[in-house]
Amino acid sequence: MESKKKIVILGGGYGGVHAAKHLYKHFKKNKDIEITLIDRNPYHTLMTELHEIAGSRTEPEAVQISFKKIFSSRSVNVVIDDIDAIDFENQILKSAHKEYPYDFLLLGTGGSPEFFGTEGVQANSYTLWSLEDAIRIRENVELRFRDAAKEPNPEIRKKFLTFVIAGAGFTGIELAGELLDRAEVLCPKYHIDRNDVRIMIVEAKDSVLPILPHDLRKKAENYLRKRGAEVLLNAPITKAEEDKVFLASGSIIETSTFIWTCGIQGGEFTARIGLTKGRASNDKCSIASPEGIHGMAGCHFDEDERYVVGERGRILVTEYMQSVDHRNVYLAGDMIWFLHEEKIVPQIVETAIQSATCAAKNIVADIEKKPRVSFNPKYHGFMVSIGAKYGVAHGMGLSLSGFMAIAAKHAINLHYLFEVAGFNACWAYVQEEFTNVKDRRTITRGHASAKIPAYWSLPARLWLGLMWAIEGVNKIGEGWFNFTGGSKSGWMFSSGVKQASLEATAPTTAVDAASAASEYGEAAAAATPTPTPEAVYDAASAASDAGYANAGDVATSAVSTVTDNQPWSFNLDAPIMPTDFFLVTWFRQLFMDGIMSYIPYQLFQMAIVGTEIAIGLALMGGLMTFGAAAASIGMCLVFTLSGMFTWSQLWFVFMAIVLLGGSGHVLGLDHWVMPWLKKFWNSTKIAQKLYLYDGEPRLGKKNRK
Ligand SMILES: Cc1cc2nc3c(=O)[nH]c(=O)nc-3n(C[C@H](O)[C@H](O)[C@H](O)COP(=O)(O)OP(=O)(O)OC[C@H]3O[C@@H](n4cnc5c(N)ncnc54)[C@H](O)[C@@H]3O)c2cc1C
């Protein structure tokens, strides 16, 4: 028996995850293909949001999406291991403890910071290229404020409060924005004057964010300066020592926090594996490769571009994202060296995703012996946040700044997260970025993150529950279960519509309704020369009790006639939507006269009464409160669309909204039931397939590794 073909993806970054998802989709029915993704971490890191962790805007969990989540119920083996070496001849990946054979290998191990050989920089700086890096910066910043608060020596204190960021690319600028926001929080916390804090951006070129058009660069620079950052342009760094940064101009900056964000090279791992690197040198277009020159037609080099030369460079790939050394090895993301339109492709997410998709397609093509596809990247633009509330963005011919740029960045992030782990990842993002964020550091300026303790909603829950229960019980008292009197729910249907099992034909005029009401002796008010709205309603409801289907219509028009005669009073007992309102007509004709009229009226009435009592009991007992509150809102909506829900009853809806936020966990059964339900739901296939689980999925024994 032929053994399975093994596709191994090394690196679960932007490239690796997309490749794995693409391959899974293609081969999910093919039992002869085994897909394995290996990463040193159990989670996919959202590298583009690391600055938020470094600046303490969001928590470290915000940038980790566990592979368990991404691949739950999908036949992709996830292995957590750190690969040390690759034996390309024997097709084996090796870690300290284990070996992993492959037939096809896709490498997406990313990049790492480039120091350009600048003396002392690597040893004396922080970098921002992993979650661990971000946490180190985060902790150091807080520590420096704490140290400064108790430091009597002004020189040392100044050093503690000076933060130097080298590089004004998107990583450096995004980090500076976060530190500016962070200073606003830490200064009052440690009783430090904001003017004592220096946040410096030191850049060798003459502008910030060279990837953006000139006007946006200027806007970004102006905003940074306005917020109190010092932006030093044309200021190459020549050397670093402990607590000292040396500039080419001869000046020395003393700082305890020096963060280097100046460039990316192929990762440390790429330096170790023996694949041909891309190479740009003074000798234009010279690339060493066993197969000659790749992607270099008519090439020239922009002096401003930072190319990586030598052993730690990026790995040369063909237009198929294939290594030039081994036919069954493909590469993607920050580690590739490929020229597109005479420029080396940028180390950004779009390159990672598109190159990985191309590589995955070509692995499929090799296995199925079909033609390969070439890499043809399409870039849509850049979005840079400068703190939580401002940003600049350029793409698809549009330049945005401020709120719109940040909003666009959030939208793009949500789109990416939806692709990776569906609704679950999007909801986690919304919580991290909007509803749980601290210190108002969000685009909504904290309006979405203010919280009310759940125990304050307890009286509202009990009261709303009681009201629903009473409403239901009252209906029983009014004879809703006594079917000999005909339909009680006729007000929801058009006059003349025959509900299933209803024999009586309904009268059609107000006169009929009113006379029916008076028959029951409850329409005295309606008969008076100046009837009140309440009296007319009483009459109409009596008519309704008597089985007249158009009693609601009668009530509404009568009430508006009465109210029209009282120009300065707003009648809270008038319906929110009158029966002749187009939405009410639409609802009645489509749902009530259509689908609902086929349901025997007895069943329909029992369902209304039963639902009201069930909502009431659930709310009072705090059982499935979210569902009961949502049903409460749903019922009110149905009554509104039936033309019978009045302004004075609207509090039902607002109270139910308050209860949606977990009210049942306070002195309610949800405290015990919900964790159990969550566990059960998270273990279901449907929740896992559609990414609808809450928190982390619960994998069966088979999938637990
Ligand atoms: C602060 C910051 C902000 C950024 N902002 C943007 C932005 O706004 N827009 C944009 O497009 N790009 C941005 N980038 C760049 C972007 O993050 C990278 O281009 C992207 O992450 C590259 O994806 P990748 O799949 O090649 O590698 P990565 O995402 O780096 O993933 C590599 C994976 O390989 C794993 N790995 C590496 N070596 C091994 C090994 N030996 N064994 C096992 N596992 C291994 C790692 O754990 C990691 O999960 C930003 C980067 C940073 C740091």
Side-chain angles (χ1 to χ4, degrees):
M1 196 179 72
E2 202 180 314
S3 66
K4 287 186 177 189
K5 272 221 169 354
K6 291 181 167 49
I7 305 174
V8 175
I9 299 156
L10 178 60
Y14 292 84
V17 162
H18 267 77
K21 290 197 95 168
H22 183 94
L23 289 166
Y24 160 75
K25 254 193 200 153
H26 191 88
F27 289 123
K28 64 181 166 194
K29 298 225 166 81
N30 188 339
K31 299 275 172 248
D32 296 329
I33 304 288
E34 188 182 280
I35 304 165
T36 302
L37 181 134
I38 306 178
D39 198 290
R40 55 165 72 108
N41 296 312
Y43 49 79
H44 166 58
T45 306
L46 299 173
M47 302 280 280
T48 59
E49 311 310 308
L50 285 182
H51 55 283
E52 294 186 12
I53 309 303
S56 225
R57 183 188 342 168
T58 51
E59 296 305 310
E61 296 74 44
V63 296
Q64 305 168 49
I65 309 181
S66 69
F67 292 122
K68 195 163 113 177
K69 266 188 186 181
I70 300 174
F71 297 110
S72 62
S73 270
R74 286 156 182 83
S75 47
V76 172
N77 307 318
V78 176
V79 175
I80 312 306
D81 207 346
D82 200 337
I83 299 299
D84 293 330
I86 305 175
D87 176 349
F88 290 106
E89 288 315 312
N90 295 307
Q91 304 187 170
I92 294 172
L93 297 165
K94 294 178 179 175
S95 75
H97 314 284
K98 228 174 151 182
E99 298 195 337
Y100 305 91
Y102 65 83
D103 295 299
F104 286 91
L105 177 62
L106 198 160
L107 293 171
T109 54
S112 59
E114 164 66 292
F115 300 97
F116 305 105
T118 319
E119 190 186 334
V121 167
Q122 186 161 8
N124 294 294
S125 65
Y126 292 89
T127 53
L128 184 56
W129 205 253
S130 66
L131 179 56
E132 290 74 16
D133 284 353
I135 292 173
R136 259 193 296 277
I137 295 174
R138 175 192 180 105
E139 289 173 351
N140 174 73
V141 170
E142 174 112 23
L143 185 68
R144 292 308 166 207
F145 272 82
R146 207 182 304 145
D147 288 347
K150 52 189 182 197
E151 179 55 57
N153 182 325
E155 285 309 308
I156 301 178
R157 187 174 185 272
K158 191 173 167 195
K159 202 170 67 179
F160 286 157
L161 293 177
T162 301
F163 301 88
V164 177
I165 297 167
F170 53 74
T171 308
I173 295 301
E174 290 198 317
L175 179 60
E178 296 304 323
L179 294 191
L180 287 166
D181 282 1
R182 182 84 177 125
E184 306 286 339
V185 178
L186 293 180
C187 284
K189 183 172 173 186
Y190 291 103
H191 305 280
I192 285 171
D193 185 341
R194 173 66 184 84
N195 294 320
D196 292 350
V197 180
R198 296 179 80 191
I199 295 171
M200 306 177 75
I201 300 156
V202 183
E203 167 60 50
K205 292 186 187 171
D206 61 0
S207 134
V208 303
L209 297 171
I211 40 167
L212 293 179
H214 186 260
D215 60 323
L216 285 183
R217 294 184 208 175
K218 266 287 151 219
K219 279 188 179 171
E221 188 184 326
N222 291 343
Y223 179 77
L224 285 161
R225 289 191 196 278
K226 199 175 92 190
R227 293 283 312 275
E230 294 173 47
V231 184
L232 273 62
L233 301 175
N234 298 309
I237 290 169
T238 50
K239 192 169 97 167
E241 286 176 4
E242 191 181 349
D243 291 354
K244 280 196 183 98
V245 177
F246 296 78
L247 305 187
S249 62
S251 41
I252 300 170
I253 309 168
E254 300 223 12
T255 173
S256 312
T257 311
F258 171 40
I259 307 165
W260 181 262
T261 70
C262 290
I264 316 159
Q265 58 179 343
E268 176 268 329
F269 182 72
T270 63
R272 260 188 285 139
I273 53 177
L275 296 180
T276 303
K277 313 288 183 295
R279 213 169 235 273
S281 68
N282 290 337
D283 180 13
K284 286 185 178 181
C285 304
S286 67
I287 299 183
S289 120
E291 299 194 348
I293 292 172
H294 291 271
M296 299 289 288
C299 77
H300 75 270
F301 296 110
D302 180 352
E303 286 302 315
D304 282 340
E305 287 268 353
R306 289 192 173 106
Y307 291 120
V308 179
V309 184
E311 272 309 289
R312 297 193 65 188
R314 292 148 73 176
I315 292 171
L316 187 65
V317 287
T318 69
E319 62 189 311
Y320 306 123
M321 299 296 100
Q322 195 177 29
S323 149
V324 295
D325 307 297
H326 303 281
R327 290 258 161 224
N328 59 346
V329 177
Y330 287 83
L331 298 103
D334 279 1
M335 69 190 306
I336 63 167
W337 200 100
F338 182 75
L339 286 187
H340 173 65
E341 292 175 351
E342 301 181 13
K343 281 193 164 188
I344 190 165
V345 287
Q347 285 161 301
I348 58 172
V349 170
E350 285 199 309
T351 302
I353 292 176
Q354 295 176 34
S355 58
T357 307
C358 174
K361 281 183 179 168
N362 288 329
I363 291 178
V364 172
D366 285 356
I367 291 173
E368 296 180 350
K369 309 220 179 327
K370 289 183 177 153
R372 297 199 190 111
V373 293
S374 302
F375 181 47
N376 186 17
K378 297 208 168 28
Y379 297 110
H380 297 93
F382 292 94
M383 292 165 181
V384 183
S385 65
I386 309 178
K389 298 163 201 158
Y390 189 85
V392 283
H394 181 74
M396 297 187 282
L398 270 181
S399 284
L400 301 172
S401 61
F403 179 89
M404 289 311 289
I406 290 281
K409 190 166 180 182
H410 283 306
I412 295 290
N413 285 347
L414 281 167
H415 175 258
Y416 174 76
L417 291 169
F418 192 78
E419 278 188 356
V420 170
F423 176 77
N424 179 281
C426 292
W427 179 234
Y429 182 82
V430 167
Q431 287 179 306
E432 287 290 344
E433 295 283 341
F434 304 108
T435 64
N436 292 350
V437 82
K438 287 181 296 198
D439 306 316
R440 303 182 177 188
R441 290 174 66 183
T442 147
I443 190 176
T444 58
R445 268 112 176 125
H447 285 289
S449 53
K451 297 261 189 305
I452 325 175
Y455 49 77
W456 282 7
S457 67
L458 181 63
R461 198 187 85 210
L462 296 175
W463 182 251
L464 184 64
L466 188 67
M467 287 301 104
W468 273 118
I470 289 176
E471 184 67 29
V473 170
N474 277 355
K475 281 196 168 72
I476 299 175
E478 287 161 13
W480 278 55
F481 283 1
N482 175 7
F483 305 117
T484 50
S487 164
K488 299 280 179 199
S489 50
W491 48 270
M492 296 182 83
F493 298 83
S494 298
S495 54
V497 168
K498 204 179 102 182
Q499 291 173 252
S501 10
L502 184 66
E503 292 306 329
T505 25
T508 52
T509 66
V511 178
D512 290 343
S515 72
S518 61
E519 239 175 65
Y520 276 73
E522 292 182 46
T528 64
T530 50
T532 62
E534 291 79 11
V536 176
Y537 253 119
D538 287 346
S541 71
S544 162
D545 291 351
Y548 294 104
N550 67 337
D553 301 13
V554 174
T556 310
S557 63
V559 167
S560 36
T561 311
V562 172
T563 333
D564 286 349
N565 295 333
Q566 298 169 11
W568 298 111
S569 72
F570 183 72
N571 178 23
L572 292 175
D573 287 328
I576 295 167
M577 291 184 194
T579 40
D580 54 358
F581 190 66
F582 77 99
L583 277 177
V584 177
T585 312
W586 164 80
F587 179 76
R588 190 174 52 233
Q589 289 173 353
L590 191 69
F591 292 100
M592 303 314 298
D593 300 352
I595 307 158
M596 291 301 177
S597 64
Y598 290 104
I599 299 172
Y601 78 91
Q602 297 91 335
L603 194 67
F604 187 70
Q605 286 178 197
M606 285 196 300
I608 290 187
V609 174
T611 308
E612 288 183 350
I613 294 178
I615 291 175
L617 293 178
L619 289 178
M620 283 191 286
L623 178 65
M624 311 232 203
T625 312
F626 182 89
S632 176
I633 295 168
M635 286 288 272
C636 293
L637 187 68
V638 168
F639 293 154
T640 306
L641 287 170
S642 305
M644 289 299 284
F645 201 66
T646 67
W647 292 104
S648 60
Q649 292 167 319
L650 209 51
W651 65 267
F652 266 74
V653 176
F654 300 134
M655 260 204 192
I657 291 172
V658 171
L659 304 184
L660 291 172
S663 176
H665 290 267
V666 179
L667 296 181
L669 293 168
D670 281 350
H671 181 78
W672 295 277
V673 174
M674 289 319 278
W676 178 85
L677 259 185
K678 180 174 155 178
K679 239 179 174 175
F680 166 76
W681 171 244
N682 287 356
S683 68
T684 60
K685 268 240 155 37
I686 174 108
Q688 294 182 7
K689 279 260 182 253
L690 300 177
Y691 295 116
L692 287 177
Y693 41 80
D694 182 14
E696 292 284 323
R698 200 157 171 260
L699 303 184
K701 267 192 201 134
K702 204 174 118 217
N703 295 321
R704 257 181 260 145
K705 296 258 153 51

